[in-house]
Amino acid sequence: VHLAGLLLFAFGSLCVALAPTFPLLIAARAVMSVGNAMGQAVGTAMVVAVFPPDERGKALGSQTSVVAIGSAMGPIGAGLMLQVLPWQALFLMLIPPLLLAFVVFAALAIFVLSKGGDIDMGGEKHGADAMHVPAAASAPASAAPASDAASAAK
Protein backbone atom coordinates (compact mmCIF):
# COMPACT_ATOMS: atom_id res chain seq x y z
CA VAL A 1 0.00 0.00 0.00
CA HIS A 2 2.84 2.38 0.87
CA LEU A 3 4.67 1.88 -2.44
CA ALA A 4 1.42 2.16 -4.39
CA GLY A 5 0.73 5.43 -2.57
CA LEU A 6 4.19 6.75 -3.45
CA LEU A 7 3.63 5.77 -7.06
CA LEU A 8 0.24 7.51 -7.19
CA PHE A 9 1.70 10.60 -5.53
CA ALA A 10 4.59 10.76 -8.03
CA PHE A 11 2.27 10.20 -10.98
CA GLY A 12 -0.17 12.84 -9.72
CA SER A 13 2.66 15.30 -9.15
CA LEU A 14 3.89 14.85 -12.72
CA CYS A 15 0.35 15.23 -14.05
CA VAL A 16 -0.16 18.44 -12.05
CA ALA A 17 3.02 19.96 -13.46
CA LEU A 18 2.02 19.03 -17.01
CA ALA A 19 -1.74 19.70 -16.78
CA PRO A 20 -2.86 21.83 -19.73
CA THR A 21 -6.27 22.70 -18.25
CA PHE A 22 -7.68 23.56 -14.84
CA PRO A 23 -10.00 20.48 -14.64
CA LEU A 24 -7.05 18.18 -15.38
CA LEU A 25 -5.00 19.97 -12.72
CA ILE A 26 -7.77 19.38 -10.16
CA ALA A 27 -8.04 15.70 -11.19
CA ALA A 28 -4.26 15.30 -10.86
CA ARG A 29 -4.34 16.89 -7.40
CA ALA A 30 -7.00 14.35 -6.42
CA VAL A 31 -4.68 11.54 -7.55
CA MET A 32 -1.87 13.09 -5.50
CA SER A 33 -4.16 13.30 -2.47
CA VAL A 34 -5.12 9.63 -2.65
CA GLY A 35 -1.45 8.64 -2.98
CA ASN A 36 -0.47 10.87 -0.08
CA ALA A 37 -3.21 9.42 2.13
CA MET A 38 -2.07 5.88 1.32
CA GLY A 39 1.56 6.67 2.10
CA GLN A 40 1.04 8.59 5.32
CA ALA A 41 -1.55 6.25 6.81
CA VAL A 42 0.66 3.22 6.28
CA GLY A 43 3.83 5.10 7.30
CA THR A 44 2.73 5.34 10.92
CA ALA A 45 1.67 1.70 10.94
CA MET A 46 5.11 0.71 9.62
CA VAL A 47 6.83 2.64 12.42
CA VAL A 48 4.65 0.88 15.01
CA ALA A 49 5.31 -2.53 13.43
CA VAL A 50 9.09 -2.13 13.13
CA PHE A 51 10.06 -0.58 16.48
CA PRO A 52 9.89 -2.56 19.73
CA PRO A 53 7.41 -1.27 22.35
CA ASP A 54 10.10 0.45 24.43
CA GLU A 55 11.29 2.52 21.43
CA ARG A 56 7.93 3.25 19.75
CA GLY A 57 7.33 6.54 21.55
CA LYS A 58 10.69 7.87 20.43
CA ALA A 59 10.12 6.67 16.85
CA LEU A 60 6.61 8.12 16.61
CA GLY A 61 7.82 11.37 18.17
CA SER A 62 10.60 11.60 15.57
CA GLN A 63 8.15 10.93 12.74
CA THR A 64 5.69 13.51 14.07
CA SER A 65 8.47 16.09 14.49
CA VAL A 66 9.65 15.65 10.91
CA VAL A 67 6.08 16.04 9.61
CA ALA A 68 5.57 19.18 11.72
CA ILE A 69 8.86 20.71 10.58
CA GLY A 70 7.97 19.95 6.97
CA SER A 71 4.54 21.53 7.40
CA ALA A 72 6.11 24.67 8.86
CA MET A 73 8.98 24.95 6.38
CA GLY A 74 7.02 23.98 3.24
CA PRO A 75 5.32 27.33 2.67
CA ILE A 76 8.56 29.22 3.33
CA GLY A 77 10.58 27.07 0.96
CA ALA A 78 7.86 27.13 -1.69
CA GLY A 79 7.59 30.91 -1.45
CA LEU A 80 11.32 31.28 -1.97
CA MET A 81 11.28 28.86 -4.90
CA LEU A 82 8.38 30.68 -6.55
CA GLN A 83 10.45 33.86 -6.60
CA VAL A 84 12.74 32.31 -9.22
CA LEU A 85 10.97 29.25 -10.66
CA PRO A 86 7.53 28.61 -12.19
CA TRP A 87 4.87 26.95 -10.02
CA GLN A 88 5.25 23.65 -11.91
CA ALA A 89 8.72 23.27 -10.37
CA LEU A 90 7.11 22.76 -6.95
CA PHE A 91 5.50 19.57 -8.23
CA LEU A 92 8.40 18.39 -10.39
CA MET A 93 10.83 18.61 -7.46
CA LEU A 94 8.79 15.96 -5.62
CA ILE A 95 9.52 13.29 -8.21
CA PRO A 96 13.29 12.64 -7.68
CA PRO A 97 12.99 11.72 -3.95
CA LEU A 98 10.06 9.43 -4.77
CA LEU A 99 12.07 7.73 -7.51
CA LEU A 100 14.96 7.37 -5.08
CA ALA A 101 12.62 5.58 -2.67
CA PHE A 102 11.74 3.07 -5.41
CA VAL A 103 15.42 2.54 -6.30
CA VAL A 104 16.34 1.96 -2.64
CA PHE A 105 13.45 -0.49 -2.21
CA ALA A 106 14.41 -2.32 -5.41
CA ALA A 107 18.06 -2.57 -4.31
CA LEU A 108 17.04 -3.82 -0.87
CA ALA A 109 14.63 -6.33 -2.40
CA ILE A 110 17.32 -7.63 -4.78
CA PHE A 111 19.74 -7.99 -1.85
CA VAL A 112 17.23 -9.83 0.32
CA LEU A 113 16.13 -12.15 -2.47
CA SER A 114 19.73 -12.86 -3.56
CA LYS A 115 20.50 -14.04 -0.02
CA GLY A 116 17.61 -16.49 -0.07
CA GLY A 117 15.28 -14.28 1.94
CA ASP A 118 11.70 -13.35 1.29
CA ILE A 119 9.73 -10.11 1.14
CA ASP A 120 6.22 -9.85 2.54
CA MET A 121 4.43 -7.70 -0.02
CA GLY A 122 1.00 -8.78 1.23
CA GLY A 123 1.43 -7.53 4.78
CA GLU A 124 0.94 -10.83 6.61
CA LYS A 125 4.19 -10.54 8.59
CA HIS A 126 5.13 -7.77 11.00
CA GLY A 127 8.30 -5.91 11.95
CA ALA A 128 11.65 -7.36 11.00
CA ASP A 129 9.99 -10.54 9.68
CA ALA A 130 8.48 -8.63 6.73
CA MET A 131 11.84 -8.59 4.93
CA HIS A 132 13.79 -11.59 6.12
CA VAL A 133 17.33 -12.62 5.26
CA PRO A 134 18.41 -15.98 6.69
CA ALA A 135 21.16 -15.52 9.30
CA ALA A 136 23.59 -17.83 7.50
CA ALA A 137 23.14 -15.95 4.23
CA SER A 138 23.67 -12.53 5.78
CA ALA A 139 26.86 -13.41 7.70
CA PRO A 140 30.16 -12.90 5.83
CA ALA A 141 32.09 -16.05 4.96
CA SER A 142 34.99 -15.00 7.20
CA ALA A 143 32.68 -14.86 10.21
CA ALA A 144 32.63 -18.62 10.73
CA PRO A 145 32.39 -19.81 14.32
CA ALA A 146 35.70 -20.54 16.04
CA SER A 147 34.91 -24.27 16.26
CA ASP A 148 34.52 -24.43 12.45
CA ALA A 149 37.79 -22.55 11.93
CA ALA A 150 39.62 -24.88 14.35
CA SER A 151 38.26 -28.02 12.68
CA ALA A 152 39.13 -26.63 9.24
CA ALA A 153 42.72 -26.04 10.39
CA LYS A 154 43.13 -29.74 11.36
Side-chain angles (χ1 to χ4, degrees):
V1 172
H2 187 71
L3 289 175
L6 290 178
L7 182 62
L8 273 177
F9 189 80
F11 177 71
S13 184
L14 180 64
C15 290
V16 166
L18 302 176
T21 65
F22 186 69
L24 286 176
L25 181 123
I26 296 300
R29 286 292 286 157
V31 171
M32 278 184 74
S33 298
V34 170
N36 187 42
M38 291 170 68
Q40 283 194 349
V42 176
T44 301
M46 290 188 320
V47 169
V48 169
V50 171
F51 285 90
D54 60 326
E55 293 182 15
R56 273 191 203 137
K58 205 181 327 179
L60 288 171
S62 297
Q63 180 192 27
T64 304
S65 296
V66 168
V67 170
I69 291 168
S71 296
M73 296 301 296
I76 296 168
L80 293 172
M81 280 185 62
L82 288 175
Q83 296 299 311
V84 293
L85 297 172
W87 65 267
Q88 292 91 341
L90 294 175
F91 295 94
L92 292 174
M93 72 174 222
L94 299 172
I95 297 170
L98 294 169
L99 293 178
L100 179 63
F102 283 108
V103 169
V104 168
F105 175 77
L108 187 58
I110 290 168
F111 172 76
V112 168
L113 294 174
S114 72
K115 300 294 183 185
D118 63 334
I119 299 172
D120 175 32
M121 293 297 286
E124 289 89 26
K125 298 176 185 174
H126 300 287
D129 294 331
M131 192 173 277
H132 179 260
V133 178
S138 62
S142 62
S147 61
D148 291 345
S151 63
K154 292 179 185 178

